[in-house]
């Protein structure tokens, strides 16, 4: 039973390792054109924006401008290169203030 369990764990680790390791191995051996490299570098920011923006728009039902205001404040604070904690707390404080008004 223990040997079988060990084989299952080993098999699962190999199966999860291959999809993670293979793209890194392929990306390391291909020389991409500048436009493709620039496009690939933009994917994390686009994905992050796509994940965050719907949440910003739905902070308060029927009042998307409240979340949008907090998002704008967070973007400005991040642009000023403040520490991430100041950005988060600035956005939270802004949303709380706008909700109270």
């Amino acid at each position: 039973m223990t040997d079988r369990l060990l084989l299952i764990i080993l098999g699962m680790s190999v199966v999860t390792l291959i999809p993670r390791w293979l793209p890194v191995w392929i990306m390391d051996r291909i020389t991409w054109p500048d436009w493709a490299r620039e496009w690939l570098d933009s994917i994390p920011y686009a994905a992050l924006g796509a994940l965050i923006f719907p949440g910003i728009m739905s902070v308060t039902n029927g009042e998307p401008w409240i979340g949008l205001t907090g998002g704008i404040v967070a973007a400005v604070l991040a642009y000023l290169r403040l520490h991430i904690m100041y950005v988060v707390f600035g956005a939270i404080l802004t949303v709380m203030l706008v909700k109270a008004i």
Side-chain angles (χ1 to χ4, degrees):
M1 183 68 177
T2 305
D3 291 340
R4 185 174 177 193
L5 184 62
L6 188 62
L7 284 175
I8 289 172
I9 292 172
L10 187 65
M12 289 190 312
S13 66
V14 169
V15 167
T16 57
L17 181 69
I18 289 173
R20 294 168 192 231
W21 177 77
L22 195 60
V24 172
W25 185 77
I26 290 172
M27 291 294 289
D28 206 27
R29 283 159 176 72
I30 296 175
T31 304
W32 296 91
D34 288 341
W35 66 268
R37 169 113 7 232
E38 200 169 304
W39 181 73
L40 289 170
D41 287 344
S42 301
I43 289 175
Y45 305 111
L48 190 62
L51 290 171
I52 291 174
F53 194 71
I56 287 176
M57 297 302 288
S58 63
V59 168
T60 303
N61 286 337
E63 297 175 313
W65 56 274
I66 292 174
L68 202 55
T69 305
I72 290 170
V73 168
V76 168
L77 294 176
Y79 182 76
L80 295 173
R81 297 189 181 270
L82 294 179
H83 191 272
I84 186 84
M85 294 305 292
Y86 295 124
V87 175
V88 170
F89 286 126
I92 291 171
L93 186 64
T94 301
V95 168
M96 289 175 63
L97 288 174
V98 171
K99 276 183 161 181
I101 293 176

